[in-house]
Amino acid sequence: MTENQTVQACIDAWTQSIEAIAELLAPLPTDAWNRATECPGWSVRDVVSHIIALESELLGDPRPIHSLPRDLRHVTDEFARYMELPVDKRRCHTAPEMTGELEYTVIRRSRALRTSKHEPDDLVRWPAGPLSRDVPYTELLRLRTFDVWVHEQDLRRALGVPGNLDSPAALISRDVLLAGLPKVLRKAVGAPPGTTLALDVSGPVEFLRTVRVGDDGRATADETVSLAPDVRLTLDWETYLRLACGRGRPGPVTVDGDQDLGARILAHFAVTP
């Protein structure tokens, strides 16, 4: 796949996921908008507000002027404050206001993506407050696809409407999450050189990966099969997603091998901020 094809694949996956969110929200009764999600402190309305806010910021819209309450327990650092401000601003918005703003934002963002003159390697700003940085255009699209799809799944679990676990955006999200796994093993867990972790994921998205810490202390992941890893984790795709995104209490995980190391890996498995 060429770089331009990768850009288009990300745009198509983002479009499919964000349009699925709009379809999911259209028939919602008013009280369902206040239903809690697995994102700490966020309701269905809040998750949708977050999606609108980031896509609007990428369109160049100014951030809202708003005083954020200081008693929000889930807001623990400057990154969280940055993300919370436009969410809190919309907490008084009605369901029709939310669906209307989402629809309008999707129309504008879709048009901007279709007419963009950016080359795949052009550096663009990724809006994340204190974590903001310049990234290649392809990477920005990949991150936005990942964020929208993960929040689509947050909404689906909160509303009891499963789906799209094997969508194009799910495959992009798999790769984003797997890219953070070596850091978990080497830096978060502090595994010594020579350590191997085998990951066996089943379900709508199936894959095998082995993460190894080399003699130089660097960890890498690949698709080779390790016959005698220090730890083997066996779990389903949705459980992997929820663990890697720090969501709630996921389903069962089978840990074979070094139980202490396995427990430490699972304790530090989240790769999202």
Side-chain angles (χ1 to χ4, degrees), residues 39 136 151 165 184 209 257 273:
C39 298
H151 287 311
L165 278 168
V184 168
R209 292 293 187 277

Side-chain angles (χ1 to χ4, degrees), residues 14 34 45 48 53 68 75 105 138 144 148-149 171 177 183-184 201 203 234 256:
W14 173 90
N34 297 320
R45 175 184 284 98
V48 177
L68 194 63
V75 178
T105 302
T138 304
R144 287 309 306 140
V148 168
W149 180 80
L171 300 181
L177 292 173
K183 185 177 179 180
V184 168
V201 176
T234 305
D256 296 309

